[in-house]
Amino acid sequence: MIKDILPMKCRFYRMGGDEFEILYPNAAYSDVELTMQKLKDAVAKKGYSIAIGFGEYKKGMDFDNVFREVDAMMYEDKARMKAADPQLVNEIPNI
């Protein structure tokens, strides 16, 4: 499912547990937004939900700061999802 959504230039990594990272080089922010929404929609069709954070890294930026901002965005998304549906169960989807 994921390979059908992500453009060929993307790289998908498991960071540990239920956390994953997608590197989407040289992409417009709007393309990343659209791809992440497609990913959320595809996972929802399987009966699951995922929290997503994303950001932009440019040469000269501090990668750790960008990663922290993206991580914070993901936790904000997770909090919104849980507030909307307190019955959410933390399961790892088979995608």
Side-chain angles (χ1 to χ4, degrees):
M1 174 181 79
I2 292 172
K3 68 180 178 167
D4 297 330
I5 296 169
L6 297 179
M8 290 292 292
K9 64 182 176 179
C10 288
R11 298 293 177 255
F12 184 79
Y13 302 97
R14 184 175 188 166
M15 301 299 289
D18 63 350
E19 293 189 7
F20 299 86
E21 181 175 306
I22 298 170
L23 300 180
Y24 196 155
N26 303 315
Y29 198 84
S30 59
D31 291 338
V32 175
E33 282 182 309
L34 180 61
T35 301
M36 295 304 103
Q37 189 58 54
K38 286 180 182 179
L39 185 56
K40 286 187 106 166
D41 293 345
V43 170
K45 285 181 184 176
K46 297 279 188 180
Y48 296 96
S49 61
I50 58 172
I52 294 179
F54 58 91
E56 182 176 24
Y57 172 82
K58 292 183 180 178
K59 187 175 181 176
M61 294 174 77
D62 183 318
F63 181 80
D64 290 334
N65 284 340
V66 173
F67 192 82
R68 277 191 291 277
E69 289 174 12
V70 168
D71 201 43
M73 183 185 201
M74 185 270 305
Y75 279 106
E76 289 171 10
D77 191 30
K78 187 181 233 180
R80 273 192 302 276
M81 290 170 22
K82 285 186 176 185
D85 184 359
Q87 300 301 314
L88 281 177
V89 177
N90 291 324
E91 295 182 32
I92 299 174
N94 185 15
I95 53 176

